[in-house]
């Protein structure tokens, strides 16, 4: 889990056991941690660390007691202006996307951890930013890709990994930010930060927006069943803050019309944000 204690504090890494509900904090410094992904065997965690405008990549080896037993630093000039979006199926490589740069056709890459070589998996030729998210099917045979064809219009593409052949190309009703495969490998579920979601079934080509998501639902992070998602839910206040002017606190008997329209006040964090 990536979490920050307050609005201005750095993003830190935490682990939570879904069996014991015990939370372990992994990082304790002033750096910002982001883009953390578990390997498929659950023994390694890749993450990126930003400190003083310098970004480094790491892989933490974690045992069953949630202890970090080894920390590997990944260094390669090939990783410049790229970020992690997942692991390869056999956990010997990483899937990468590119940071947005004006006038560039963005691709999806595979980085081999043993040989430290990089391979482009996609090659878009569109007016928009190109490919910005991707996910491998559970058996590793297919790659689902989110591609921005033109500004604010996206498509879902699914290609075969062995020969690159395109098997799916459909226009999406919104521009999503995340996608996940269900465990069967037959359905791709897509979401946006604003709670939009969409499902595509490869067997019959059917699309849907079922099941209905809880209120204030945000992005999908994983799938725990054919209609079960690991996702983020928000309390509805997207700044996690509530503004209460000091004048209102000290002049509780004043009529609302007499209070200043704007003025210095204090910010109070909402509980359970």
């Amino acid at each position: 889990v990536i979490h920050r204690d307050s609005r201005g504090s750095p993003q830190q890494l935490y682990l939570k056991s879904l069996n014991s509900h015990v939370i372990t904090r992994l990082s304790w410094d002033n750096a910002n941690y982001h883009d953390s992904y578990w390997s498929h065997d659950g023994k390694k965690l890749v993450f990126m660390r930003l400190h003083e405008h310098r970004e480094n990549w790491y892989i933490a080896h974690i045992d069953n007691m949630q202890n970090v037993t080894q920390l590997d630093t990944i260094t390669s000039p090939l990783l410049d202006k790229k970020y992690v979006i997942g692991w390869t199926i056999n956990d010997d490589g990483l899937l990468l996307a590119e940071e947005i740069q004006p006038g560039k056709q963005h691709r999806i890459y595979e980085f081999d951890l043993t040989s430290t070589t990089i391979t482009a998996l996609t090659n878009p030729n569109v007016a928009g930013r190109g490919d910005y998210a991707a996910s491998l099917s559970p058996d590793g045979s297919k790659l689902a890709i989110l591609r921005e064809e033109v500004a604010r219009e996206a498509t879902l593409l699914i290609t075969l990994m062995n020969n690159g052949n395109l098997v799916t190309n459909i226009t999406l009703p919104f521009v999503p930010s995340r996608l996940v495969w269900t465990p069967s490998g037959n359905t791709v579920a897509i979401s946006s930060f604003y709670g939009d979601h969409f499902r595509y079934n490869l067997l019959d080509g059917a699309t849907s927006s079922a099941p209905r998501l809880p209120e204030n639902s945000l992005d999908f992070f994983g799938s725990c069943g054919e209609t079960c998602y690991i996702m983020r839910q928000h309390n509805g206040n997207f700044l996690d803050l509530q503004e209460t002017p000091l004048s209102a606190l000290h002049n509780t008997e004043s009529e609302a019309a007499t209070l200043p329209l704007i003025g210095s006040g204090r910010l109070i964090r909402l509980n359970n944000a």
Side-chain angles (χ1 to χ4, degrees), residues 46 121 123:
V46 63
L121 300 180
N123 186 26

Side-chain angles (χ1 to χ4, degrees), residues 26-85:
L26 294 183
S27 59
W28 298 85
D29 57 9
N30 291 322
N32 281 286
Y33 293 80
H34 60 101
D35 294 321
S36 59
Y37 289 89
W38 282 107
S39 59
H40 294 281
D41 63 9
K43 297 180 179 180
K44 297 186 290 293
L45 182 71
V46 63
F47 59 89
M48 302 175 72
R49 178 181 182 271
L50 177 64
H51 183 58
E52 295 182 348
H53 306 290
R54 182 176 180 180
E55 201 163 53
N56 293 291
W57 301 33
Y58 299 92
I59 293 179
H61 299 249
I62 300 175
D63 63 18
N64 294 333
M65 301 301 292
Q66 299 187 14
N67 296 315
V68 176
T69 59
Q70 180 180 329
L71 187 63
D72 302 331
T73 304
I74 309 172
T75 57
S76 171
L78 299 173
L79 302 177
D80 185 45
K81 297 190 183 303
K82 299 179 180 66
Y83 57 93
V84 179
I85 56 174

Side-chain angles (χ1 to χ4, degrees), residues 145-174:
I145 305 157
L146 293 180
R147 175 173 294 176
E148 186 184 83
E149 301 275 355
V150 297
R152 296 178 294 280
E153 291 185 16
T155 58
L156 168 66
L157 300 96
I158 300 176
T159 61
L160 299 178
M161 287 295 291
N162 60 351
N163 56 22
N165 286 349
L166 182 67
V167 296
T168 298
N169 185 353
I170 59 171
T171 301
L172 300 174
F174 58 91

Side-chain angles (χ1 to χ4, degrees), residues 52-265:
E52 295 182 348
H53 306 290
R54 182 176 180 180
E55 201 163 53
N56 293 291
W57 301 33
Y58 299 92
I59 293 179
H61 299 249
I62 300 175
D63 63 18
N64 294 333
M65 301 301 292
Q66 299 187 14
N67 296 315
V68 176
T69 59
Q70 180 180 329
L71 187 63
D72 302 331
T73 304
I74 309 172
T75 57
S76 171
L78 299 173
L79 302 177
D80 185 45
K81 297 190 183 303
K82 299 179 180 66
Y83 57 93
V84 179
I85 56 174
W87 290 77
T88 56
I89 294 302
N90 51 12
D91 291 336
D92 62 359
L94 302 171
L95 290 181
L96 311 176
E98 295 183 284
E99 295 178 4
I100 296 179
Q101 302 175 60
K104 179 177 176 55
Q105 295 286 303
H106 299 86
R107 299 179 177 183
I108 302 299
Y109 295 87
E110 177 182 342
F111 180 74
D112 187 285
L113 292 169
T114 303
S115 63
T116 64
T117 56
I118 196 167
T119 304
L121 300 180
T122 67
N123 186 26
N125 183 18
V126 294
R129 61 175 159 163
D131 302 335
Y132 60 94
S135 179
L136 284 166
S137 60
D139 63 2
S141 65
K142 293 179 284 292
L143 181 70
I145 305 157
L146 293 180
R147 175 173 294 176
E148 186 184 83
E149 301 275 355
V150 297
R152 296 178 294 280
E153 291 185 16
T155 58
L156 168 66
L157 300 96
I158 300 176
T159 61
L160 299 178
M161 287 295 291
N162 60 351
N163 56 22
N165 286 349
L166 182 67
V167 296
T168 298
N169 185 353
I170 59 171
T171 301
L172 300 174
F174 58 91
V175 178
S177 52
R178 288 189 165 286
L179 75 166
V180 297
W181 291 83
T182 59
S184 68
N186 295 325
T187 300
V188 177
I190 302 166
S191 69
S192 78
F193 175 81
Y194 300 101
D196 302 306
H197 75 109
F198 182 84
R199 288 166 54 87
Y200 175 78
N201 186 282
L202 280 73
L203 297 180
D204 56 13
T207 61
S208 70
S209 56
R212 182 178 177 85
L213 301 182
E215 186 178 1
N216 300 321
S217 295
L218 303 181
D219 278 316
F220 296 155
F221 288 90
S223 175
C224 41
E226 291 306 301
T227 56
C228 173
Y229 304 116
I230 299 170
M231 59 188 304
R232 183 172 181 236
Q233 186 181 28
H234 206 280
N235 66 2
N237 182 336
F238 283 85
L239 286 179
D240 289 343
L241 298 166
Q242 181 177 10
E243 185 175 5
T244 306
L246 287 175
S247 59
L249 295 176
H250 295 303
N251 297 308
T252 56
E253 297 180 359
S254 300
E255 294 294 330
T258 66
L259 296 178
L261 182 65
I262 58 174
S264 298

